[in-house]
Amino acid sequence: MLGGAVKLLQVLPFFDQTVDRWVPAARILRWLIFLWVFAGLFILFSASHHPAATDALIPDYYFFKQQVLWAGVGLILFNALVHLPAKVMVRSAPIGIFILLGLLLAIEFIPGLGATRNESRRWLTLWGVLVQPSELIKPFLVLQGAQFFTQWSVLGWGRRSLWLGTFTVVILAIYLQPSLSVAALCGMMLWLLALAAGRTWGQLLTVAAMAMIGAMVTIRPYQIERLMMFTNPWRDPQGSGYQLIQSLLAIASGGAWGTGYGLSGQKLFLPEGHTDFIFAIFAEEFGFGGCALVLAFLMVFSTFCLWQSSQCRDMTLRLTIVGTTVILVGQSLLNIGVVTGGVPTTGIPFPFLSYGGSSMLSNMFIAGLLVRCIREMGNAEVVPLRPATPAREPMEQRSRRRFSSRNQFP
């Protein structure tokens, strides 16, 4: 009975007895991710209290309780992935992409199927739970992109065209939800994977130019308004500029060291303060010092991961580390840019901080994939993604062995 309970507890990462055998880099990264997750829950507890308290239909601390539940499920997923061989996840990537792409297209083209919020149809209700396919597809894009650009030189133009077309359709489907920020993040990640894989600047600049032209052709009037408004939100302080103005007021109110945990006044007025604009609430409560600490953490996290990728000999693992780092850190910086008015206002969550089940599960998947890759690149007990080619025997030794075998008596 006791042994069964111990085995059951091992599904949680805190009771995993194999961690001591991991390479130090994987153990360090594991604790950095835990720090990120639990800091996010701490921040969300304050930011989400007001929306739940002011809505009579929502129980007290509803958003925080839901996030704790999703974080618990995500931690179990994380612990499963760090024990799953990377080659298994790479092989499953095409299946995941086509299933989730099908859901994206179904939401877009089947009337009444998707749930609409804030003029965007990004959600699908499955068994009473809202699922966001554009979030869940990101780890599969990383895996398939890493495998695709690793194999680029051995693939024919038919296979290349198939996957380049698939990536384009995925990004276009996300863009049409509309979700400009997530589409831009996925496109940027794939572009950087191609850069890390050694694609020529001619190819990279051609793709970038085509993406820019496509965005300009398909951009919608309200998106143009957002592009214009973020430069001067006071042009329409009660309309398009309201959210950004409240966000900037929250950040300015924080001063050097903030108003104190739970004492944000601007969260009473800031829409989406517990989701896309949670960093503004954090900035008000912890001030410039807290913001500098977050940026320092992101710098350390990204530097550590990219340094590990530079030490990796397996190209697929190396590109996967790059892709997962770009998603986690790039999305964080993009969210900060939106909140501070550095980039146009658009809905993109801060990984592990913003409220959302699909976002939490997607980011936990990406984090587990990242730790697994770093485990494999330096752990002798793990089978490599591509086994090394055995060293050739020196010619002199081969000649001696063949001569001796021919001259042996029966």
Side-chain angles (χ1 to χ4, degrees), residues 29 300-310 321-322 324-325 370 374:
L29 184 61
V300 170
F301 187 91
S302 58
T303 302
F304 181 80
C305 294
L306 294 177
W307 180 77
Q308 290 296 317
S309 73
S310 69
I321 295 171
V322 171
T324 50
T325 304
L370 176 58
I374 292 180

Side-chain angles (χ1 to χ4, degrees), residues 95-174:
I95 300 173
I97 284 180
F98 285 116
I99 290 175
L100 291 166
L101 177 58
L103 293 178
L104 284 170
L105 296 175
I107 291 173
E108 181 65 29
F109 295 108
I110 299 179
L113 183 62
T116 302
R117 291 186 175 184
N118 298 328
E119 302 180 352
S120 297
R121 287 206 305 174
R122 305 178 190 175
W123 296 268
L124 183 67
T125 304
L126 295 177
W127 300 287
V129 178
L130 283 177
V131 176
Q132 193 173 351
S134 59
E135 283 290 333
L136 299 178
I137 203 171
K138 289 189 290 188
F140 295 105
L141 277 178
V142 172
L143 285 165
Q144 186 56 37
Q147 182 185 37
F148 173 68
F149 289 114
T150 298
Q151 299 177 344
W152 175 274
S153 59
V154 298
L155 293 177
W157 276 107
R159 291 285 299 277
R160 292 181 187 177
S161 301
L162 169 65
W163 281 111
L164 289 173
T166 301
F167 294 150
T168 302
V169 172
V170 169
I171 294 172
L172 184 61
I174 296 173

Side-chain angles (χ1 to χ4, degrees), residues 149-209:
F149 289 114
T150 298
Q151 299 177 344
W152 175 274
S153 59
V154 298
L155 293 177
W157 276 107
R159 291 285 299 277
R160 292 181 187 177
S161 301
L162 169 65
W163 281 111
L164 289 173
T166 301
F167 294 150
T168 302
V169 172
V170 169
I171 294 172
L172 184 61
I174 296 173
Y175 175 75
L176 292 176
Q177 290 182 336
S179 182
L180 177 60
S181 54
V182 177
L185 177 68
C186 293
M188 177 180 66
M189 181 272 297
L190 291 170
W191 192 88
L192 289 173
L193 285 186
L195 175 64
R199 297 298 93 221
T200 65
W201 278 106
Q203 295 170 336
L204 294 170
L205 294 176
T206 299
V207 170

Side-chain angles (χ1 to χ4, degrees), residues 267-338:
K267 66 182 176 185
L268 304 177
F269 311 101
L270 178 61
E272 309 297 334
H274 62 298
T275 55
D276 299 337
F277 278 76
I278 193 170
F279 186 77
I281 305 299
F282 171 82
E284 183 179 4
E285 294 184 351
F286 292 92
F288 176 81
C291 295
L293 190 63
V294 169
L295 291 173
F297 174 83
L298 293 175
M299 183 182 68
V300 170
F301 187 91
S302 58
T303 302
F304 181 80
C305 294
L306 294 177
W307 180 77
Q308 290 296 317
S309 73
S310 69
Q311 307 300 308
C312 186
R313 296 181 180 180
D314 187 295
M315 179 60 76
T316 304
L317 291 180
R318 179 188 301 174
L319 294 181
T320 303
I321 295 171
V322 171
T324 50
T325 304
V326 168
I327 290 291
L328 291 176
V329 178
Q331 184 169 329
S332 301
L333 295 177
L334 187 57
N335 176 274
I336 293 173
V338 168

Side-chain angles (χ1 to χ4, degrees), residues 404-410:
S404 61
S405 64
R406 286 198 302 267
N407 289 277
Q408 286 181 348
F409 293 100

